[in-house]
């Protein structure tokens, strides 16, 4: 049995400012680091065989905070990156919604129709996430694997595991910063989602 632990990166400064991130980056906030360390304490008794991350600084910072003193190499791969958003990256959501209301609406309400030149479509992302998942399954038939990645990537991964179409990608539990999803795969590759967007370790924002 393979257990795939899937964590979103910690809260970033751009998350606080409600800026789209995509392939661009922003460092973790104090709260983001706190919650990542809290997730690490929650997972301290899990012996990971491998840790996969995207090349983004925010996922690397999160993974290191989760692992703490554990000396495990981080396997970086662009296949685990967030969805590419091109000219939207670094812009505030409210500005995008004001300037490009139809495209913004398509992104969140009609993902199958969303298209932006030079960026990934949800169909592109789905293909990439399928390859990423298959790569992990090809490399690991048992044990515990940690994947630290991004919210839309995680939503697509769970959507694929559930066997749903792209139109349902947003119809899942919200993937908060450092939230944990856990999927068990048997030897035949059959998946069982044990946790989805679980954030019981997270500190309320009001504390900071």
């Amino acid at each position: 049995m393979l257990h795939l632990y899937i964590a979103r990166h910690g809260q970033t400064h751009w998350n606080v400012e409600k800026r789209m991130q995509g392939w661009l980056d922003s460092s973790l906030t104090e709260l983001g680091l706190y919650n990542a360390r809290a997730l690490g304490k929650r997972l301290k008794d899990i012996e990971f065989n491998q840790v996969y991350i995207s090349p983004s600084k925010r996922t690397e910072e999160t993974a290191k905070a989760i692992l703490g003193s554990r000396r495990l190499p981080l396997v970086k791969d662009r296949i685990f990156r967030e969805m590419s958003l091109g000219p939207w990256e670094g812009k505030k959501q409210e500005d995008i919604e004001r300037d490009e209301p139809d495209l913004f609406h398509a992104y969140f309400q009609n993902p199958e129709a969303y298209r932006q030149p030079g960026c990934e479509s949800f169909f592109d992302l789905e293909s990439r996430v399928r390859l990423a998942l298959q790569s992990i399954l090809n490399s690991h038939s048992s044990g515990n694997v940690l994947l630290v990645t991004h919210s839309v990537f995680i939503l697509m991964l769970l959507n694929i595991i559930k066997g749903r179409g792209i139109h349902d990608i947003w119809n899942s539990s919200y993937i908060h910063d450092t939230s944990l999803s856990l999927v068990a795969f048997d030897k035949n590759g059959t998946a069982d989602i044990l946790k989805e967007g679980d954030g019981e370790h997270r500190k309320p924002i009001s504390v900071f």
Side-chain angles (χ1 to χ4, degrees):
M1 183 76 73
L2 169 66
H3 287 89
L4 179 59
Y5 292 78
I6 309 159
R8 184 189 173 191
H9 62 80
Q11 182 195 72
T12 70
H13 291 283
W14 278 9
N15 289 150
V16 174
E17 297 169 1
K18 298 189 182 303
R19 295 182 187 273
M20 304 291 262
Q21 292 188 117
W23 289 3
L24 291 185
D25 223 341
S26 175
S27 58
L28 300 189
T29 63
E30 182 182 354
L31 176 60
L33 280 169
Y34 180 96
N35 285 336
R37 294 185 186 116
L39 178 57
K41 291 178 182 178
R42 183 178 176 186
L43 300 177
K44 64 182 176 60
D45 295 325
I46 305 298
E47 294 186 10
F48 291 113
N49 303 96
Q50 191 65 270
V51 181
Y52 294 101
I53 66 172
S54 82
S56 299
K57 178 182 178 182
R58 59 191 187 272
T59 58
E60 182 172 358
E61 289 180 338
T62 301
K64 288 179 177 178
I66 291 171
L67 294 175
S69 61
R70 288 193 270 185
R71 298 189 179 280
L72 285 170
L74 304 179
V75 179
K76 300 179 185 179
D77 197 319
R78 292 187 297 176
I79 203 169
F80 302 121
R81 286 190 297 187
E82 181 59 292
M83 184 176 180
S84 168
L85 297 173
W88 281 5
E89 296 183 10
K91 290 185 178 179
K92 290 186 176 182
Q93 290 188 25
E94 62 182 355
D95 294 336
I96 298 169
E97 185 174 17
R98 181 195 64 225
D99 298 337
E100 302 176 84
D102 293 341
L103 197 58
F104 186 85
H105 180 271
Y107 180 82
F108 283 109
Q109 304 297 330
N110 189 15
E112 290 173 306
Y114 168 81
R115 294 288 190 283
Q116 191 169 183
C119 305
E120 286 183 303
S121 68
F122 282 92
F123 292 96
D124 295 329
L125 177 64
E126 182 184 48
S127 296
R128 176 160 63 83
V129 174
R130 285 187 185 279
L131 289 174
L133 176 58
Q134 194 58 53
S135 175
I136 291 174
L137 295 178
N138 288 344
S139 299
H140 306 275
S141 59
S142 62
N144 301 304
V145 170
L146 174 63
L147 171 61
V148 183
T149 182
H150 308 269
S151 60
V152 184
F153 184 103
I154 294 170
L155 286 169
M156 184 61 80
L157 177 57
L158 295 173
N159 208 52
I160 289 169
I161 292 170
K162 293 173 184 177
R164 304 191 312 189
I166 284 172
H167 59 277
D168 279 323
I169 186 172
W170 300 114
N171 296 329
S172 292
S173 299
Y174 186 79
I175 305 298
H176 291 278
D177 66 275
T178 73
S179 64
L180 177 67
S181 299
L182 174 58
V183 185
F185 297 89
D186 67 18
K187 62 181 180 180
N188 298 315
T190 301
D192 184 16
I193 299 176
L194 305 178
K195 295 182 185 296
E196 182 176 344
D198 187 321
E200 67 176 34
H201 58 279
R202 298 174 68 248
K203 182 75 92 175
I205 293 176
S206 60
V207 174
F208 281 76

